[in-house]
Amino acid sequence: MTAPVGLPLWLLAELTYRCPLQCPYCSNPIDYAHYKDELTTEEWCTVFDEARQLGAVQLGFSGGEPLVRQDLEALVAYAHQKGFYTNLITSGMGLTEARIASLKNAGLQHIQISFQASDPVVNNLLAGSKHAFEQKYEMSRLVKKYDYPMVLNFVIHRQNIDQIDKIIELCLELEADTVELAICQFYGWAFENIEGLLPTKAQVVRAERITNEYRKKIAELGIKCKLIFVVPDYYEERPKACMDGWGKIFLTVAPDGTALPCHAARQLPIAFPNVKQTPLKDIWYDSASFNQYRGDEWMPEMCQSCPDKERDYGGCRCQAFMLTGDAKNADPVCGKSPYHYLIEEARINSETPVAFEDLRFRNPKNSKLLSKEARIPTQTVAE
């Protein structure tokens, strides 16, 4: 069955793959350095024009680190003028009070700052920067000062999950309105480092229990702080509706203009169109790549006959490709998938600790230098 094509309500503008940090769970392509060309200011404005004409209403500025683009304020102002709700997704590196003020004047409505950990040493080791935690902390205070919604993001993994209580305490100290505690999704660099990042089942259970305890405490105290805890696919028996379905709501434009149905899709052996050569309307409605996994005709029989297909749309195509070599295969996360044993093997492997020094970073030389100066503290997990 061919599903009707909806509107691309959410546009993610990946302005650049450049970033001053080296997080081992980065979702950017492993070969990010090969993509040196970036859309110009004018080309991005054309993308915004075409996306609004298609019905897009939400616009996220992402990367890499979008703050390295010196035209960010101009892009925000143009998008705001066009009627987008604008969101900056940033590490906070390169942010200053003057820049926060100028982004506010340009019409930016939302800033999400990511931390690596609540402990400054752990945060800086994972980020690959000696002053990352200090910068993030200060910028979070300023975001609150300039009356933005305080949204903090922590990517949770085995190197920081045992400090989940301290992470939440930091968020409360910073008076966060919303906190996303998202256990690492394994794409890009995270997939390369899965054995060092996938937490054990016991760690996940403990972290979720502590989060629920804090939710109750926060509610009792009347504190307005929403804690969002996202369990990794690897500890589920049914796949999530990845991006709400392939080419259904989300549209990503990569730094070089490649249009994608999700930020991880360019790793697939698919020829995706580029906004420099093809209008966004043609890409969204008519391109072979965006139609490739819409509906259910592409699904193997076991997925086509599954009553859950209207809920999960067959799961994640990128995950199926990374784990099985064929994006058409049933998502291995699904307990019914013949490839589910791969997920079970990953769970078993998570029981074997992997040292921080063995993680693969974008800048391995800097990583080794930092790891000699300080160690990530270890902790025994109690049920």
Side-chain angles (χ1 to χ4, degrees):
M1 180 188 302
T2 302
V5 180
L7 302 177
L9 300 176
W10 223 109
L11 172 65
L12 182 66
E14 291 187 321
L15 300 182
T16 181
Y17 286 143
R18 291 175 289 158
C19 182
L21 302 185
Q22 57 153 16
C23 307
Y25 50 78
C26 180
S27 62
N28 283 169
I30 299 298
D31 59 348
Y32 73 96
H34 294 167
Y35 304 102
K36 298 183 183 301
D37 291 338
E38 296 178 359
L39 296 181
T40 65
T41 306
E42 293 73 20
E43 287 170 333
W44 273 118
C45 289
T46 298
V47 170
F48 301 159
D49 285 338
E50 295 182 4
R52 278 296 285 148
Q53 291 168 12
L54 285 173
V57 292
Q58 298 258 5
L59 173 56
F61 292 98
S62 180
E65 175 48 66
L67 286 164
V68 305
R69 289 279 301 221
Q70 297 305 305
D71 60 352
L72 178 59
E73 286 83 351
L75 293 174
V76 168
Y78 190 84
H80 178 68
Q81 175 191 347
K82 290 295 176 179
F84 278 105
Y85 181 87
T86 51
N87 176 23
L88 175 64
I89 304 166
T90 176
S91 67
M93 305 304 290
L95 201 57
T96 63
E97 182 166 9
R99 201 152 194 203
I100 291 176
S102 63
L103 287 166
K104 187 79 172 183
N105 291 334
L108 185 66
Q109 293 154 295
H110 189 284
I111 298 178
Q112 174 184 297
I113 293 182
S114 64
F115 278 78
Q116 280 68 37
S118 58
D119 180 276
V121 172
V122 178
N123 187 99
N124 294 345
L125 281 169
L126 289 167
S129 169
K130 292 183 179 181
H131 307 292
F133 182 86
E134 177 184 348
Q135 169 72 8
K136 292 169 182 287
Y137 188 93
E138 182 181 353
M139 290 306 105
S140 297
R141 289 290 196 193
L142 288 173
V143 164
K144 194 75 175 180
K145 174 182 174 181
Y146 280 82
D147 201 31
Y148 283 103
M150 169 59 78
V151 182
L152 299 180
N153 172 266
F154 284 80
V155 176
I156 305 298
H157 45 80
R158 71 178 301 138
Q159 304 289 344
N160 65 7
I161 193 170
D162 294 336
Q163 289 80 47
I164 193 75
D165 53 341
K166 296 180 176 62
I167 287 173
I168 296 174
E169 289 288 351
L170 173 63
C171 295
L172 295 176
E173 177 186 335
L174 290 170
E175 301 179 66
D177 299 299
T178 302
V179 178
E180 186 175 87
L181 305 166
I183 297 184
C184 194
Q185 300 295 321
F186 294 99
Y187 305 96
W189 292 85
F191 189 71
E192 294 288 311
N193 287 309
I194 187 169
E195 291 184 354
L197 295 177
L198 181 65
T200 66
K201 179 67 173 180
Q203 287 178 308
V204 173
V205 170
R206 174 181 178 271
E208 189 166 21
R209 171 177 58 77
I210 290 174
T211 301
N212 287 333
E213 290 170 356
Y214 269 95
R215 285 172 175 154
K216 182 178 179 181
K217 178 181 177 181
I218 287 169
E220 290 172 348
L221 295 174
I223 299 173
K224 294 182 178 180
C225 178
K226 182 179 181 180
L227 300 180
I228 302 172
F229 186 86
V230 182
V231 176
D233 289 0
Y234 280 62
Y235 287 109
E236 300 278 16
E237 293 300 315
R238 290 290 180 272
K240 296 182 176 70
C242 186
M243 309 306 292
D244 281 336
W246 179 279
K248 192 175 179 68
I249 294 176
F250 289 90
L251 171 61
T252 296
V253 178
D256 63 351
T258 301
L260 304 163
C262 79
H263 64 279
R266 82 180 309 157
Q267 69 183 299
L268 300 179
I270 296 174
F272 288 102
N274 193 293
V275 298
K276 293 180 181 179
Q277 289 86 39
T278 309
L280 215 52
K281 182 178 179 180
D282 293 344
I283 290 173
W284 181 256
Y285 287 107
D286 302 324
S287 68
S289 57
F290 272 73
N291 283 299
Q292 188 153 344
Y293 298 116
R294 282 172 171 153
D296 62 9
E297 292 179 356
W298 61 270
M299 293 181 181
E301 191 284 327
M302 64 172 295
C303 294
Q304 284 200 27
S305 60
C306 179
D308 289 334
K309 70 178 182 181
E310 299 300 328
R311 180 184 62 83
D312 60 33
Y313 309 111
C316 177
R317 296 305 89 216
C318 298
Q319 198 154 253
F321 174 74
M322 288 186 296
L323 291 171
T324 75
D326 188 342
K328 291 183 179 179
N329 284 331
D331 188 336
V333 165
C334 181
K336 300 177 182 180
S337 170
Y339 304 98
H340 189 62
Y341 71 92
L342 296 169
I343 298 297
E344 294 172 337
E345 288 178 355
R347 295 171 185 171
I348 293 171
N349 292 338
S350 74
E351 301 291 338
T352 303
V354 174
F356 169 82
E357 293 83 357
D358 293 330
L359 296 176
R360 183 182 176 193
F361 291 84
R362 286 165 47 133
N363 185 344
K365 182 178 179 181
N366 191 38
S367 167
K368 291 184 182 299
L369 178 64
L370 286 167
S371 66
K372 288 180 181 178
E373 299 178 3
R375 300 282 176 174
I376 288 184
T378 57
Q379 175 177 329
T380 301
V381 178
E383 292 287 350

